[in-house]
Amino acid sequence: MSAGPGAKGERCYDWVGALLPVVEERDRDEPTRRRWMLARRSITDPEDIAYFLASAPLDATLADLARIAG
């Protein structure tokens, strides 16, 4: 997936994401956000891997998070 445009065109990477357990928020009955662990691997250098922790709305997708992380 693309992480967005760069100086030399689209910045494409391999992405993987995992949802982490729900954490109850103090002032709500139901959680409004989910935590994610993401990993981004360079297509041209597979040993170049970056990791991210993210908090996103319940309906966020891996594609949304890849775009934002980029």
Side-chain angles (χ1 to χ4, degrees):
M1 282 187 276
S2 174
K8 298 178 183 177
E10 290 295 316
R11 296 175 297 127
C12 293
Y13 297 92
D14 291 328
W15 290 89
V16 66
L19 284 169
L20 299 175
V22 172
V23 175
E24 294 182 21
E25 295 181 0
R26 294 180 187 167
D27 58 348
R28 301 197 187 271
D29 292 342
E30 296 292 323
T32 60
R33 304 184 72 72
R34 291 295 309 262
R35 294 182 305 143
W36 288 74
M37 187 285 306
L38 305 172
R40 178 190 76 195
R41 182 176 66 182
S42 171
I43 293 171
T44 57
D45 181 4
E47 293 188 19
D48 180 16
I49 301 173
Y51 299 94
F52 304 86
L53 290 176
S55 176
L58 297 175
D59 61 349
T61 64
L62 179 58
D64 295 331
L65 295 170
R67 180 178 45 79
I68 292 165

